[in-house]
Amino acid sequence: MSDQLYQSPISPGRSWYEDSCGERPTYPALDGDTSCDAVVVGGGFCGLSAALHLAEAGTKVVLIDAHRFGDGASGRNGGQMGSGQRAGAIELEKELGFERSKALWDMAEDAKTSLHNIASRYGFDFDYQLGQLTPMHKKSFEAEAREEVEVLSHRYGYKKIEYLDKDKMSSALGSEHYFGGTRDTGTGHIHPMKYLIGLAAAAAKAGAVLHENTAAFSTERNGKIFVKTARGTITADRCVLALNGHHNDLRPELASRVLPIQSFIGATAPLDHNTPVLPNHEAVDDSRFVVRYFRKSKDNRLLFGGREAYGKSTPGDIERAIRKQITEIYPDLSDVEMTHAWGGNVAITMPRMPYVRELETGLWTAGGFSGHGVMLSNYTGRMIAEQFLGKSDQIKLLKDLKTPQFPGGSLFRNPLKLLALTWYAMLDRI
Ligand SMILES: Cc1cc2nc3c(=O)[nH]c(=O)nc-3n(C[C@H](O)[C@H](O)[C@H](O)COP(=O)(O)OP(=O)(O)OC[C@H]3O[C@@H](n4cnc5c(N)ncnc54)[C@H](O)[C@@H]3O)c2cc1C
């Protein structure tokens, strides 16, 4: 494992992304009272994107994060963009009807375009690589994968997805472990920390005032909105709380609806260039409930995410568990050198769709992207900014989704979470 130079105080282990992102700029903590048109709390993809789009329109915006930008999920995730929403189109259509489900699909397509456009507008690279495979871990799931291809290509007009039988999937993966599944050539995967750094620099360039190491302790409304921090109060007309799975005790409404669960990733040393593993550098997310997600970095490392344990973890614990999962799929990698192992909070909701609300007039919150926030948290920040600016009300599509509280509310949800996740992990193995 590499030297522990800087580690996120809110997530275990030092990520490979931190060692491969180049310079990670720092932003000063807030020191003194200030006022602005809009204050954003949370410097992940969602908050930074909101700040960028507000600042581009000439709004005076201040953004604060309790830690360093990207120390939450945004700088430490699997980097897979995917397509559509976390809940599948077929499932959404059953609940919401075709029109709303199609609008949510189209929103996700806009999110892909927006992610690329920001990077080209501000000229930063984020190691984009094309392609996504979703192999089935049970033969009985193949029919669902076939149906998904059928529905998406015919009813949703999405032609970039195809069904791969077991043989073709095995060649694409370099492993016999799975059955058939889908290949999506309309999406890809990114280096999330590089994207995060580029996004923060873009927001600063557009005029947003950015502060790290500045936690919000409370939000109060008295005509204006007051966000209190240790060394100053920010007074604003509008506010975005983009906290995702961290500190959501700031607002009790979030704690009962957005639940943090930990997910873990291990990085190997660069694999041999002749390795059969993922010859086309596509990303993979499998059909398990406790999803295994993996891909190769541009320098040929296997970045493998998964693990089924829920509690405190050291990098050593993470490495052991991830190595076991890698070996199940790629037995030849049983002794592979691992250089990094880390984790982070994935924020989930009951319906696995984000929780987006206007909690009070002008005070919005967004979080709970349920492992599907690389492009969608970014785009949600933009949609909230556009609502503030009176440019578009596309955010209504997410705001109108129902998000029930977790059973047990904020008190008993953690023991119940452990029970439920252990149960689902067991079902994955049957
Ligand atoms: C290990 C892992 C793997 C993942 N893999 C994928 C993937 O492959 N594909 C995908 O689409 N999604 C994935 N995700 C999910 C994705 O990373 C998130 O959905 C997305 O980054 C959420 O962005 P965000 O801005 O909403 O939240 P975050 O990036 O978590 O940012 C929230 C920020 O708010 C700050 N904050 C919280 N409270 C306060 C406060 N009181 N005051 C000031 N600041 C505060 C935190 O410090 C944090 O920086 C993964 C997540 C993890 C952890």
Side-chain angles (χ1 to χ4, degrees):
M1 299 280 158
S2 66
D3 289 345
Q4 307 287 297
L5 291 173
Y6 174 82
Q7 281 201 51
S8 160
I10 46 176
S11 315
R14 177 176 173 79
S15 81
W16 170 74
Y17 301 129
E18 286 165 55
D19 283 334
S20 56
C21 63
E23 193 195 344
R24 195 175 165 198
T26 53
Y27 295 86
L30 178 72
D31 193 9
D33 295 345
T34 187
S35 61
C36 54
D37 301 323
V39 54
V40 179
V41 183
F45 288 147
C46 184
L48 285 166
S49 166
L52 166 67
H53 289 95
L54 286 166
E56 279 185 330
T59 306
K60 192 174 172 206
V61 52
V62 173
L63 178 147
I64 58 171
D65 195 290
H67 306 282
R68 288 183 69 184
F69 300 150
D71 275 356
S74 297
R76 303 171 65 83
N77 58 60
Q80 307 198 11
M81 288 166 62
S83 288
Q85 305 283 335
R86 173 69 178 88
I90 298 174
E91 188 184 341
L92 287 173
E93 197 174 320
K94 275 186 198 140
E95 195 200 323
L96 306 171
F98 175 72
E99 212 171 294
R100 282 174 75 191
S101 175
K102 175 75 165 69
L104 286 164
W105 177 270
D106 292 343
M107 170 196 289
E109 285 297 291
D110 292 345
K112 282 179 193 169
T113 311
S114 175
L115 188 122
H116 284 284
N117 284 350
I118 290 170
S120 38
R121 219 163 51 240
Y122 288 90
F124 62 87
D125 179 44
F126 56 104
D127 288 5
Y128 180 70
Q129 301 183 80
L130 190 73
Q132 177 95 32
L133 302 166
T134 305
M136 302 296 118
H137 75 291
K138 291 181 187 173
K139 178 130 185 75
S140 59
F141 286 16
E142 282 181 335
E144 277 174 38
R146 278 204 180 86
E147 188 192 357
E148 195 191 344
V149 172
E150 184 66 20
V151 169
L152 289 179
S153 56
H154 291 110
R155 288 168 57 71
Y156 287 71
Y158 188 68
K159 305 290 180 201
K160 292 179 177 167
I161 190 158
E162 63 174 326
Y163 179 77
L164 300 187
D165 63 20
K166 180 172 171 51
D167 284 352
K168 286 192 178 136
M169 184 58 85
S170 300
S171 311
L173 294 168
S175 164
E176 301 279 328
H177 180 78
Y178 289 99
F179 297 94
T182 60
R183 166 179 271 154
D184 184 348
T185 52
T187 189
H189 50 112
I190 72 170
H191 187 306
M193 188 61 101
K194 283 192 182 174
Y195 197 91
L196 195 283
I197 290 170
L199 185 63
K205 191 168 177 201
V209 178
L210 307 181
H211 297 289
E212 294 181 318
N213 297 313
T214 305
F217 296 145
S218 66
T219 60
E220 280 168 25
R221 180 177 267 290
N222 188 354
K224 300 255 180 192
I225 296 168
F226 299 89
V227 174
K228 294 209 167 131
T229 78
R231 283 156 63 190
T233 296
I234 306 162
T235 309
D237 297 319
R238 291 171 182 272
C239 176
V240 186
L241 299 178
L243 317 173
N244 205 32
H246 305 94
H247 299 274
N248 47 25
D249 47 345
L250 193 62
R251 300 287 304 212
E253 304 94 312
L254 307 187
S256 57
R257 290 183 173 82
V258 179
L259 185 63
I261 59 168
Q262 289 214 311
S263 185
F264 301 95
I265 304 181
T268 69
L271 304 179
D272 192 283
H273 278 285
N274 301 322
T275 178
V277 174
L278 297 174
N280 304 316
H281 275 248
E282 290 158 298
V284 184
D285 67 322
D286 77 8
S287 55
R288 287 179 170 85
F289 183 86
V290 184
V291 179
R292 295 185 188 180
Y293 51 99
F294 46 101
R295 64 195 185 103
K296 282 197 303 193
S297 60
K298 278 211 158 166
D299 71 351
N300 229 33
R301 291 162 194 273
L302 183 65
L303 307 178
F304 192 102
R307 193 177 175 223
E308 298 160 1
Y310 308 91
K312 288 222 159 92
S313 298
T314 65
D317 298 332
I318 301 169
E319 182 190 334
R320 272 188 297 283
I322 293 288
R323 181 186 295 283
K324 187 164 170 277
Q325 295 190 348
I326 291 177
T327 307
E328 280 172 29
I329 300 167
Y330 297 111
D332 290 349
L333 295 186
S334 60
D335 293 329
V336 70
E337 182 194 348
M338 290 185 70
T339 58
H340 297 74
W342 69 96
N345 277 343
V346 180
I348 58 167
T349 62
M350 284 275 283
R352 291 172 301 131
M353 292 292 285
Y355 177 61
V356 178
R357 287 293 184 278
E358 186 170 17
L359 297 176
E360 300 166 12
T361 310
L363 189 151
W364 283 70
T365 191
F369 294 94
S370 304
H372 200 64
V374 164
M375 58 173 186
L376 285 171
S377 61
N378 258 290
Y379 195 64
T380 299
R382 172 180 164 162
M383 288 189 291
I384 294 176
E386 289 181 342
Q387 202 278 344
F388 281 10
L389 297 166
K391 269 184 165 174
S392 146
D393 205 17
Q394 196 182 14
I395 192 69
K396 191 169 177 324
L397 280 167
L398 296 182
K399 192 184 110 177
D400 287 350
L401 295 173
K402 292 198 182 94
T403 311
Q405 296 194 20
F406 277 95
S410 34
L411 198 58
F412 293 112
R413 63 190 195 139
N414 276 325
L416 287 174
K417 165 179 80 173
L418 195 62
L419 205 64
L421 291 172
T422 310
W423 168 252
Y424 281 117
M426 195 189 80
L427 289 184
D428 280 338
R429 285 192 286 267
I430 293 174

